[in-house]
Amino acid sequence: MHEKGKPIAVMVVVSLIGLIFTGSFLGALHHLEPHDVPVAVVAPEAAVDRLGTMMDKRADGAFDLTAYGDEQKARDALLEREVDAVFVPGVPGRGGAKLVLAGANGKIEQAALTTAFHGVGQATGQPVTVEDVRPLPADDNNGVSAIFFVITTVIPAVILAVMLAVALPKAGAPQRLGLLAAGSIALGGANAWVAAGLTGALAGAPLELWGLGSLLVFAVASFAAGALRVAGPPALALTALVLIPIGVPASGGPIGPQFIPQWFAAIGEWLPVAAAIDAVRNTVYFDGNAIGSPLLVLTVWAVAGLALVLVPAKARQLAGRNHGAATEPAASS
């Protein structure tokens, strides 16, 4: 590329990166409304259908109501992360209605559920009492600690991959994997100590948090290192863009995936950030329930990273020659 064209190329690249950041974050988070928030309703199916019709008139598609015949089963479903709230309609002459929710799901969702079902109570003439069975702790009263724990783990994980590549450019795959594993354990442990011990923001499961942090670091760092090893800096840059400016808003951030465009949330489910946030919340606040799917996503990324790091040298050299051949005419011009 001609020297005079380089500043223009830099400006174009930076503008595109800014476009990705701005479009992703503002596109996901500028207009918040609930989508299919799962709620257990302790009532017969017909009554639940009538309630759903009434709520859809106020906010179409905001809540997904499921009939439960027993309040205890509905409460169990809430704690097992199958639903986000339980609504028990009032019985004439026996008191008003009750909304049972988990504040650990986040303040935005808690406010939306409370507002919606207070509206139901006003429409039906039943006062609604609210019970929070998993309130946020005093050290995380805004429910953002899990999000920031994950973000502050993912970014250093990418840096770990880059620093190892710079420090040991000729390291073989076994040595590189060993160093990535050691770095993952160290970084995961340090972040878990700060979150669970030093600040108390995510207290209650320090060893589990260490394990989750280490798995997250290894999944991200190995994939980034593998992408860099196989396809060079452009692949690393693309990986970083997918992880941060796309992965963070696609997780719903402090708001939650039920309040962002659902196609974007569906993408986020398969990215490490959203999976790790769910895993941390479910571990710290919900006794490890519903942790299987998040762990599966992180494991898939870790396995993909292992595969990329272990790509044979001949395959990498072939890819490099093909890339060089493809770019040669442009370079000569």
Side-chain angles (χ1 to χ4, degrees):
M1 179 183 292
H2 195 277
E3 287 294 326
K4 291 184 179 180
K6 289 182 178 179
I8 297 176
V10 169
M11 293 178 192
V12 170
V13 170
V14 171
S15 297
L16 289 174
I17 293 174
L19 182 66
I20 293 172
F21 268 84
T22 306
S24 183
F25 275 89
L26 295 185
L29 307 177
H30 80 288
H31 179 63
L32 306 178
E33 56 182 9
H35 303 282
D36 295 324
V37 177
V39 178
V41 180
V42 184
E45 191 76 42
V48 175
D49 289 341
R50 290 194 297 270
L51 178 61
T53 300
M54 181 180 70
M55 296 187 74
D56 281 342
K57 290 179 180 178
R58 296 168 175 259
D60 189 26
F63 301 96
D64 181 15
L65 308 183
T66 302
Y68 276 74
D70 180 76
E71 181 177 343
Q72 186 57 52
K73 290 182 179 179
R75 285 174 172 267
D76 291 343
L78 173 62
L79 296 179
E80 291 168 5
R81 309 291 281 130
E82 296 174 7
V83 297
D84 287 359
V86 176
F87 182 65
V88 185
V91 178
R94 298 183 183 179
K98 179 168 54 179
L99 176 66
V100 185
L101 46 74
N105 282 330
K107 285 194 169 183
I108 297 292
E109 183 176 272
Q110 183 178 18
L113 286 164
T114 302
T115 300
F117 283 94
H118 273 311
V120 170
Q122 291 174 356
T124 58
Q126 299 177 343
V128 178
T129 59
V130 178
E131 178 184 355
D132 188 348
V133 295
R134 280 291 187 274
L136 287 166
D139 290 326
D140 185 25
N141 57 4
N142 284 310
V144 297
S145 294
I147 294 99
F148 287 112
F149 173 81
V150 169
I151 293 173
T152 55
T153 301
V154 167
I155 294 174
V158 176
I159 296 173
L160 171 64
V162 174
M163 291 183 68
L164 286 177
V166 171
L168 298 167
K170 297 183 180 180
Q175 182 184 10
R176 194 173 300 278
L177 287 174
L179 291 171
L180 285 170
S184 298
I185 294 171
L187 176 55
N191 282 15
W193 173 71
V194 172
L198 185 62
T199 64
L202 292 170
L207 294 180
E208 292 87 344
L209 198 62
W210 185 0
L212 288 174
S214 299
L215 176 58
L216 174 61
V217 174
F218 187 78
V220 170
S222 63
F223 192 92
L228 178 62
R229 183 171 182 265
V230 171
L236 175 65
L238 180 60
T239 299
L241 287 174
V242 169
L243 291 171
I244 306 301
I246 294 178
V248 173
S251 72
I255 297 149
Q258 304 287 0
F259 289 80
I260 66 174
Q262 291 304 279
W263 65 268
F264 204 15
I267 294 173
E269 288 179 359
W270 291 99
L271 297 179
V273 171
I277 290 172
D278 278 348
V280 170
R281 277 180 172 161
N282 292 353
T283 296
V284 174
Y285 299 135
F286 295 94
D287 304 319
N289 290 321
I291 201 173
S293 293
L295 288 182
L296 175 62
V297 172
L298 294 177
T299 301
V300 167
W301 277 79
V303 171
L306 281 169
L308 289 173
V309 172
L310 293 172
V311 168
K314 289 184 178 180
R316 287 186 288 115
Q317 291 169 1
L318 179 61
R321 285 197 296 269
N322 291 339
H323 178 72
T327 57
E328 185 176 352
S332 61
S333 62

